[in-house]
Amino acid sequence: MKLDLKINNYDRSFDIEPGDTLADVLRKNGFTSVRKGCDTGSCGTCTILIDGEPIASCSYLAVRAEGHSITTIEGVQEEATKIAEFLNGEGATQCGYCSPGLVLNVIAMKEHLENPSEEEIKHYLVGNLCRCTGYFGQLRAIKKYLQEVII
């Protein structure tokens, strides 16, 4: 079946099977920043934005995305680079496998929460699992990033 999507502000068409997940369709078509970790929607590695909302693309049927705007890390390069600088500054990126999903969640959080507390940040990012960093560096970096962009 044919699927028409708007990805990073570009119209794209794909031939898919009815049961294909959005993560698989995106990866198959060159959006390799969309990574998979659990295939159950619980680790956050596959996070993308649909209409500005973070979703787990590994458990989201591709056909549901028709008519919506999809953002991957490739579509927010400048902001992603800035967030990465904060993460690197706090030693919070080691393998980097989970980083695209985390960064997209931070971008969504910035739009949805006004001056979030540490507890609100933790709650918003509860679905982003990382096996390398221990989360403290990530939390410090995200707080510093949000303080800079809010001011």
Side-chain angles (χ1 to χ4, degrees), residues 33 35 43-49 54 73 80 83-84 86-88 92-94 96-110 121-122 124-130 133 135 137-139 141-142 145:
S33 70
R35 301 191 178 138
C43 76
T45 302
C46 67
T47 299
I48 61 167
L49 303 179
I73 204 76
I83 295 169
F86 280 89
L87 290 167
N88 288 335
T93 50
Q94 292 175 23
Y97 193 77
C98 66
S99 296
L102 173 70
V103 167
L104 286 167
N105 253 328
V106 171
I107 290 169
M109 178 179 20
K110 181 188 77 167
I121 294 170
K122 287 179 183 178
Y124 202 92
L125 299 176
V126 73
N128 286 91
L129 304 180
C130 176
T133 68
Y135 302 105
Q138 288 180 341
L139 183 59
I142 292 166
Y145 168 75

Side-chain angles (χ1 to χ4, degrees), residues 113-129:
L113 300 179
E114 187 175 315
N115 197 19
S117 67
E118 186 170 311
E119 286 306 309
E120 289 173 311
I121 294 170
K122 287 179 183 178
H123 180 74
Y124 202 92
L125 299 176
V126 73
N128 286 91
L129 304 180

Side-chain angles (χ1 to χ4, degrees), residues 17-88:
E17 296 297 320
D20 285 349
T21 66
L22 189 52
D24 288 336
V25 169
L26 292 170
R27 287 190 57 78
K28 179 179 164 186
N29 289 284
F31 296 93
T32 56
S33 70
V34 180
R35 301 191 178 138
K36 294 171 63 176
C38 68
D39 281 337
T40 63
S42 59
C43 76
T45 302
C46 67
T47 299
I48 61 167
L49 303 179
I50 293 188
D51 299 331
E53 299 293 327
I55 65 108
S57 64
C58 75
S59 59
Y60 192 93
L61 289 177
V63 295
R64 293 183 58 203
E66 180 99 42
H68 296 280
S69 179
I70 297 170
T71 304
T72 67
I73 204 76
E74 292 91 351
V76 289
Q77 292 272 329
E78 187 175 319
E79 189 167 11
T81 298
K82 187 171 189 163
I83 295 169
E85 290 170 0
F86 280 89
L87 290 167
N88 288 335

